[in-house]
């Protein structure tokens, strides 16, 4: 930057305060000094000089803020395990006569995704204009309206209309919530915070599977109505909680509310000290990188994603995680009870119990990976192929199914879901939010939502029909596609770890962002943890 210092929101920001001195490595001769490779020297130095007290009142408030966003993902995840169990219930079938596969079931599942696709562009406008908190609030209100419609329904038209409204509400929530989680987090907590947000899927799917399993014993229509009503609980937490959490500092900065943004960063990222190195670095980069006349002020302008080099690479990351995250075989989870029946589990009670177990095992896989935001190996194809082969063997046995084959098919299906959750679940929240800059984040997440729900529509509409017609052979489609995904990630995946959201602009502006994202700085760290030098080698 040209100016050595500037006043931002009443705080004097000095570039010299955040810059790391360049040199040839002479300070490495000091006792206890060591060299270290890092993605960005300035950020590494700032993090190590600003030790955020993770037990402080401010940090606890930040955790609660992320938890409110987490509850938005819970509302989405609850639906993911809800209908697959509900349609297996006797009283539900007696009311709607939908069957467990086929076009009617496909309609019941897929109208939810249609509603989400329709709502996503409007959710971006709401989030950019009124803020992330307001967007989450109204998303919760719309979901509750949808819940009332479906839980009181006794006809298929009313049920699918309610599903459509639920989808609209979910899209409003899930455009704002991940943006909020990534924007309020300190740079070195960002992966865990956003990964934890996306694990909210299991915070909803496990209670949904448990509620459905427990309510199956009720001998009335309340066996399926109660699980539909419980869907509103996470929304109530969000509707109340948003009034007790701060607004995103990046949203504030983008809308000219600099003093509020600086106050947030000082309080939550700097232990109350606006002069801390991390706060100074973040303020400087936000001021330079966030435009107050950006496309977030132009509701229907999506041109930067197509017309700029940086925009094309950013939206490519969003497209890949949005498509791959829904079409790797995990979409089969909408039809767990049907799949369990295909592999020999015929008891409805046992199907619902396995549905619950599958959610718990998947959650363990996802939570184990929350701390990791790197690109991870993807052996999902092998697990699905094993399941396919054992399913073929079961099919050949007709009604005389060998117990060992059935258990093998079941175990491989569980294994696939654990592996998928470990590799993909945290990254589904992290990659799109990190790949997008502040003024395009809501629009990019809206695009992501449209794609996610479009893939969900394919899964939910085609899935029941395919499983009814070709049964286990449908799994082979995903086996081959997972191999294609692994190849595309290797060649086009951009690493975003170890940089601030604003520093990623440099990465995406390079001719080859994949290669640029792997560039590291060599720094000298003294025995007391202080960074004294960034080593620069001469090309002469």
């Amino acid at each position: 930057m040209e100016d050595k210092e500037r006043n931002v929101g009443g705080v004097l920001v000095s570039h010299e305060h955040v810059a790391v001195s360049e040199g040839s490595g002479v300070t490495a001769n000091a006792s206890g000094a060591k060299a270290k490779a890092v993605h960005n020297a300035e950020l590494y130095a700032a993090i190590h000089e600003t030790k955020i007290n993770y037990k402080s009142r401010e940090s606890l408030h930040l955790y609660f803020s992320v938890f409110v966003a987490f509850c938005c993902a819970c509302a989405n995840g609850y639906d993911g395990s809800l209908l697959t169990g509900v349609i297996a219930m006797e009283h539900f079938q007696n009311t709607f006569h939908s069957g467990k596969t086929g076009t009617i079931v496909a309609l019941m599942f897929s109208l939810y995704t249609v509603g989400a696709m329709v709502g996503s562009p409007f959710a971006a406008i709401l989030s950019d204009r009124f803020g992330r908190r307001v967007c989450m609030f109204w998303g919760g209100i719309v979901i509750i309206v949808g819940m009332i419609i479906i839980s009181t329904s006794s006809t298929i038209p009313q049920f699918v209309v309610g599903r459509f409204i639920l989808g609209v509400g979910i899209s409003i929530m899930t455009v704002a919530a991940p943006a909020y989680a990534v924007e309020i987090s300190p740079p070195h907590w960002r992966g865990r915070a956003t990964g934890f947000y996306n694990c909210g899927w299991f915070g909803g799917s496990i209670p949904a599977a448990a509620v459905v399993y427990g309510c199956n014993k009720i001998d009335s229509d309340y066996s399926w109505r109660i699980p539909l009503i419980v869907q509103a609980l996470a929304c109530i937490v969000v509707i109340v909680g948003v009034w007790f959490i701060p607004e995103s500092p990046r949203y504030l900065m983008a809308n000219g509310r600099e003093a509020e943004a600086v106050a947030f960063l000082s309080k939550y990222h700097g232990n109350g000290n606006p002069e801390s190195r991390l706060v100074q670095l973040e303020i400087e980069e936000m001021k330079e990188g966030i435009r107050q006349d950006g496309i977030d002020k132009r509701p229907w302008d999506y041109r930067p994603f197509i017309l700029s080099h940086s925009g094309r690479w950013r939206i490519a990351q969003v497209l890949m995680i949005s498509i791959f995250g829904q079409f790797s075989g995990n979409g089969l989870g909408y039809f767990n009870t049907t799949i369990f029946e295909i592999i020999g589990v015929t008891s409805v009670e046992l199907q619902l119990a396995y549905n619950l177990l599958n959610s718990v095992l998947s959650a363990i896989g996802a939570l184990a990976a929350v701390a990791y935001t790197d690109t991870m190996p993807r052996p999902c194809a092998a697990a699905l192929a094993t399941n396919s082969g054992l399913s073929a063997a079961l099919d050949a046995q007709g009604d005389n199914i060998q117990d060992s084959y059935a258990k093998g098919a079941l175990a491989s299906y569980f294994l696939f879901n654990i592996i998928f959750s470990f590799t993909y679940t945290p990254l589904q929240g992290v990659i799109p939010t990190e790949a997008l800059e502040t003024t395009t984040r809501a629009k990019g997440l809206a695009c992501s939502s449209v794609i996610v729900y479009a893939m969900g529509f394919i899964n939910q509409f085609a899935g029941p029909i395919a499983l009814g017609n070709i049964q286990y052979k449908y799994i082979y489609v995903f086996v081959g596609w997972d191999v294609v995904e692994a190849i595309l990630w290797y060649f086009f995946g951009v690493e975003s770890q170890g940089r601030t959201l604003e520093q990623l602009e440099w990465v995406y502006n390079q001719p080859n962002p994949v290669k640029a994202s792997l560039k590291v700085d060599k720094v000298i760290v003294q025995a007391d943890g202080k960074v004294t030098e960034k080593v620069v080698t001469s090309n002469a």
Side-chain angles (χ1 to χ4, degrees):
M1 57 189 285
E2 295 180 0
D3 297 330
K4 292 292 184 180
E5 56 186 26
R6 63 170 65 171
N7 189 300
V8 181
V11 173
L12 195 64
V13 179
S14 170
H15 178 65
E16 292 182 352
H17 182 49
V18 300
V20 176
S21 300
E22 296 182 353
S24 59
V26 293
T27 57
N29 297 323
S31 176
K34 60 182 180 180
K36 187 176 180 65
V38 299
H39 285 290
N40 183 272
E42 283 72 25
L43 177 59
Y44 183 84
I47 289 171
H48 282 263
E49 289 189 24
T50 308
K51 301 289 187 182
I52 300 176
N53 181 1
Y54 68 93
K55 295 181 180 179
S56 69
R57 182 177 180 180
E58 290 75 22
S59 292
L60 293 176
H61 192 195
L62 208 59
Y63 304 152
F64 174 73
S65 301
V66 173
F67 174 74
V68 172
F70 171 86
C71 288
C72 294
C74 290
N76 194 18
Y78 188 93
D79 192 86
S81 282
L82 178 65
L83 221 53
T84 186
V86 166
I87 63 170
M89 291 180 167
E90 181 181 353
H91 287 285
F92 182 87
Q93 290 298 329
N94 290 340
T95 301
F96 295 101
H97 307 287
S98 65
K100 297 180 183 179
T101 59
T103 306
I104 294 178
V105 173
L107 192 65
M108 287 180 162
F109 274 100
S110 60
L111 259 292
Y112 174 85
T113 60
V114 173
M117 291 169 65
V118 171
S120 292
F122 299 98
I125 296 171
L126 184 63
S127 181
D128 280 336
R129 182 166 297 178
F130 299 105
R132 316 314 192 199
R133 294 163 60 244
V134 169
C135 199
M136 289 189 283
F137 174 85
W138 283 108
I141 295 293
V142 175
I143 290 171
I144 290 176
V145 171
M147 176 276 294
I148 293 171
I149 293 172
I150 63 170
S151 63
T152 58
S153 65
S154 56
T155 64
I156 290 176
Q158 181 178 341
F159 192 88
V160 296
V161 167
R163 293 284 294 165
F164 177 87
I165 294 173
L166 277 172
V168 172
I170 284 292
S171 70
I172 296 173
M173 267 190 167
T174 54
V175 164
Y180 180 77
V182 77
E183 289 175 357
I184 67 170
S185 303
H188 51 309
W189 293 6
R190 192 178 67 219
R192 284 168 289 175
T194 316
F196 175 72
Y197 153 78
N198 212 53
C199 287
W201 173 272
F202 298 108
S205 67
I206 292 174
V211 170
V212 170
Y213 179 72
C215 289
N216 186 52
K217 300 181 185 298
I218 299 174
D219 189 20
S220 71
D221 280 351
Y222 283 105
S223 62
W224 60 267
R225 293 189 192 275
I226 289 175
L228 299 179
I229 294 170
V230 174
Q231 189 165 17
L233 291 183
C235 300
I236 293 172
V237 174
V238 173
I239 289 169
V240 175
V242 293
W243 302 107
F244 299 95
I245 60 178
E247 185 54 87
S248 156
R250 286 174 170 84
Y251 167 80
L252 295 172
M253 188 73 77
N255 287 275
R257 297 160 65 180
E258 294 178 355
E260 293 175 69
V262 169
F264 175 98
L265 294 171
S266 301
K267 181 176 181 179
Y268 295 102
H269 294 189
N271 299 316
N273 178 17
E275 303 298 326
S276 74
R277 191 165 185 168
L278 180 58
V279 172
Q280 291 268 311
L281 175 65
E282 290 190 279
I283 293 173
E284 179 189 47
E285 293 189 340
M286 285 186 195
K287 184 62 179 174
E288 286 191 341
I290 299 175
R291 296 180 57 183
Q292 293 185 11
D293 61 347
I295 70 164
D296 54 326
K297 310 303 187 299
R298 303 189 294 275
W300 300 103
D301 187 0
Y302 286 77
R303 290 175 298 173
F305 293 131
I306 301 171
L307 299 181
S308 70
H309 171 79
S310 171
R312 287 192 294 272
W313 272 95
R314 287 178 183 275
I315 202 65
Q317 308 304 304
V318 174
L319 288 172
M320 287 195 296
I321 192 65
S322 301
I323 295 172
F324 301 168
Q326 298 300 312
F327 207 66
S328 298
N330 54 309
L332 295 168
Y334 287 109
F335 316 106
N336 280 341
T337 53
T338 303
I339 290 172
F340 296 150
E341 188 171 338
I342 290 173
I343 61 179
V345 181
T346 56
S347 164
V348 172
E349 184 173 356
L350 196 55
Q351 289 172 4
L352 296 177
Y354 280 143
N355 187 44
L356 173 59
L357 177 61
N358 181 64
S359 293
V360 172
L361 292 175
S362 298
I364 292 171
L367 290 171
V370 163
Y372 303 94
T373 57
D374 310 86
T375 302
M376 292 178 282
R378 297 201 54 260
C380 303
L384 265 188
T386 303
N387 178 269
S388 307
L390 289 168
S391 297
L394 288 171
D395 184 64
Q397 294 173 18
D399 294 331
N400 301 313
I401 293 176
Q402 293 184 31
D403 188 55
S404 59
Y405 280 89
K407 289 180 178 178
L410 188 63
S412 62
Y413 184 64
F414 285 156
L415 178 62
F416 161 74
N417 282 296
I418 293 171
I419 293 171
F420 174 85
S421 299
F422 184 82
T423 55
Y424 259 136
T425 298
L427 297 181
Q428 284 177 292
V430 173
I431 288 177
T433 51
E434 289 187 337
L436 298 160
E437 55 91 12
T438 299
T439 62
T440 64
R441 188 164 291 119
K443 284 187 172 69
L445 289 174
C447 289
S448 175
S449 291
V450 170
I451 297 163
V452 164
Y453 292 117
M455 301 310 298
F457 179 83
I458 294 172
N459 279 325
Q460 294 173 3
F461 192 83
I465 298 171
L467 288 169
N469 292 337
I470 60 175
Q471 295 198 320
Y472 70 88
K473 297 181 184 70
Y474 184 47
I475 298 173
Y476 287 126
V477 174
F478 300 107
V479 175
W481 179 246
D482 283 352
V483 175
V484 174
E485 288 182 19
I487 295 170
L488 290 174
W489 276 126
Y490 181 81
F491 287 106
F492 298 104
V494 176
E495 178 59 68
S496 56
Q497 192 180 38
R499 304 179 191 274
T500 66
L501 295 174
E502 287 69 37
Q503 286 167 1
L504 287 170
E505 180 66 21
W506 174 85
V507 172
Y508 283 107
N509 277 326
Q510 300 307 301
N512 186 343
V514 176
K515 184 177 179 180
S517 70
L518 301 177
K519 179 185 176 295
V520 295
D521 291 335
K522 183 179 179 181
V523 297
I524 306 301
V525 185
Q526 299 302 317
D528 62 359
K530 185 175 181 179
V531 177
T532 54
E533 192 177 0
K534 177 166 64 175
V535 179
V536 179
T537 56
S538 174
N539 294 325

